[in-house]
Structure formats: structure tokens, C-alpha cells
Amino acid sequence: MYGPFVPEADGDGLPHDGSGAAAPRSPLELLDALAIEEHEVTAALRHLEIYTMEGLLTLLWHGDVEAERVLVTCGGGMGSLLGPADALYAVLGERLWADHGIATVRVGYRRPNHLPRCVHDVAAAADLSSRRGGRRFVVMGHSFGGAVAIQAGIILAEHGAGVVTLATQSAGCEDAALLRAPLLLVHGDRDEILPPETSVVVQSLAGHGEIVLLEGEGHLLSGAAEALRDRLLDWIPQRLDA
């Protein structure tokens, strides 16, 4: 077994902590997956489905599954594989791989709007990536997914290169002070669901982070799609290469 989340295994196939006792299972192992199906859609996109007793975890994987630098994306309270701002997650997945050799894993939650399960799903996606070669991660989340991204960034610890929140909620971010990775908080100044002050609260909880206010933008940030893509196509590679 390989990667930051998975201890070395002894001959019995179980991870151990070096003392001979069984170590805690990794996020992927804790899914207790019944099966994993994987299909190559194109040379640069794979579709994975992980079947569990708690629901179906869907992953869309842009780029080489052995890439060391990885973006992981989190949907909102209803779940989303496309993201806000005119399918931001899909566009970033294509561009980051084509222009920078950075892989993207888009996560479709087993149970949207259930924070602990969604954080587990994102951690399991990073765990799976780490087994295949992933070493540095940026996590990005929209709305409810902002809290998922921050919690996942805390779990990733030194392997977390950055966290991006888009129109984030503050609920679930109470432990943001534990986040050591760089934090970018993007919010529309006319957000009709979560006011921009929410990102200010999260920044205060974290004790660090850069806030970007998008003038005239609502919760889905649709009018700023191009500018947001350009900014993130600069910010994400910088964080992963730092």
C-alpha cells in the first residue's frame, strides 16, 4: 500500500503501525467498498464508481491517475460534479491537465449535505489518488462544499497544498484554525444565499486566507466564470509547486 494515508502492510495484508498491532484503517478502507468500477471515457478522463452500503461514490478523474499534483473538487449541498461558474470544475479539470500536467478528481458524494460523510468521501478520493501516485493536493468546494474542503484540507495536513472556497458557508468551518494550507476565499458581493460576510467569518476562524470579492456576482458566480478560471489556473499550480 502506498500514499500518505495508508500505513505499510505486513504479510497478512493489513496495515500496521510498526508495533505489530493493526493500525487505524485509511479513509478508502473505511468505505468498506463492495466493488469499484472504472471506465476510460477518453485518454484524459476516467469515470469511477465505488459501491458502498452507504451509497454510490462517483469520481470523474481528469489526467493521469499517477499524477503527483492533484485538485479535488467538492460540490454544494445538493452535490455537483460540474461546480458553479459555468461548469468550473470540468473546465479546470481539462485545462489543468492540458496546460500544467495537474490531475483533477471531481467527487460526487454518496450522501450530499451530510458533512461527515462528504468529508469522508473527499478524503477517500485523495487516499485513492495517493495509492496511485498523488502527493500534493488542492481541495476546492462551493457553498456547503467550502466546509467540506476546509475539513478535508485539515485532514490532508502536510500533503495539502491549498484550499479554495467558493461562496462558502461558515457552518462546519469552526475548526478552520487547524488548517495550515494557504486559503483562498471567493465570494460574490451580491450572493443571494450566503452573504459575502460569511467568507469574512471563515477567514477570521482560520486566522489567515485571502478573500476575493467578485463585484455584482450571486451565489453561482456565473458572470465571473472566465475571470475566475483565469485566477485559479494561476493560483492552483503555484500552490502545488510551492
Side-chain angles (χ1 to χ4, degrees):
M1 298 182 184
Y2 304 93
F5 309 107
V6 189
E8 292 296 329
D10 285 350
D12 57 7
L14 295 173
H16 290 264
D17 60 9
S19 66
R25 294 191 296 165
S26 75
L28 184 62
E29 292 167 334
L30 286 169
L31 287 176
D32 290 324
L34 304 173
I36 299 178
E37 291 290 341
E38 185 168 348
H39 174 66
E40 185 177 300
V41 181
T42 70
L45 178 64
R46 303 186 74 82
H47 183 159
L48 289 79
E49 293 183 340
I50 302 176
Y51 294 85
T52 82
M53 293 299 291
E54 302 294 337
L56 179 68
L57 174 57
T58 300
L59 306 177
L60 295 181
W61 201 309
H62 294 266
D64 190 342
V65 297
E66 297 181 355
E68 293 188 2
R69 300 174 300 162
V70 184
L71 168 68
V72 184
T73 66
C74 319
M78 297 183 206
S80 174
L81 287 161
L82 290 174
D86 294 344
L88 176 66
Y89 296 168
V91 174
L92 287 178
E94 294 166 357
R95 293 281 302 278
L96 285 170
W97 177 247
D99 298 345
H100 300 281
I102 295 170
T104 296
V105 182
R106 295 190 270 149
V107 178
Y109 306 131
R110 291 171 296 160
R111 185 175 169 184
N113 210 35
H114 188 288
L115 187 59
R117 294 258 174 88
C118 294
V119 173
H120 185 183
D121 291 344
V122 173
D127 185 356
L128 179 59
S129 174
S130 77
R131 294 165 185 255
R132 298 180 173 192
R135 291 297 178 266
R136 295 272 289 167
F137 299 87
V138 167
V139 188
M140 177 186 303
H142 175 241
S143 192
F144 162 84
V148 178
I150 285 176
Q151 291 201 17
I154 294 169
I155 292 170
L156 285 166
E158 68 271 20
H159 300 282
V163 170
V164 180
T165 66
L166 309 167
T168 187
Q169 66 181 39
S170 58
C173 299
E174 293 82 2
D175 293 330
L178 299 175
L179 179 67
R180 294 292 176 260
L183 174 62
L184 179 67
L185 305 108
V186 179
H187 223 114
D189 67 353
R190 295 188 181 178
D191 193 318
E192 66 281 13
I193 296 176
L194 292 166
E197 290 77 14
T198 309
S199 282
V200 176
V201 170
V202 175
Q203 181 195 48
S204 177
L205 289 168
H208 65 97
E210 176 189 359
I211 295 179
V212 175
L213 282 180
L214 299 177
E215 186 176 353
E217 289 305 309
H219 194 60
L220 293 179
L221 309 170
S222 299
E226 184 174 355
L228 184 54
R229 287 197 297 265
D230 289 345
R231 187 180 189 99
L232 293 172
L233 285 168
D234 181 57
W235 193 90
I236 293 168
Q238 284 188 19
R239 299 288 78 75
L240 286 167
D241 290 340

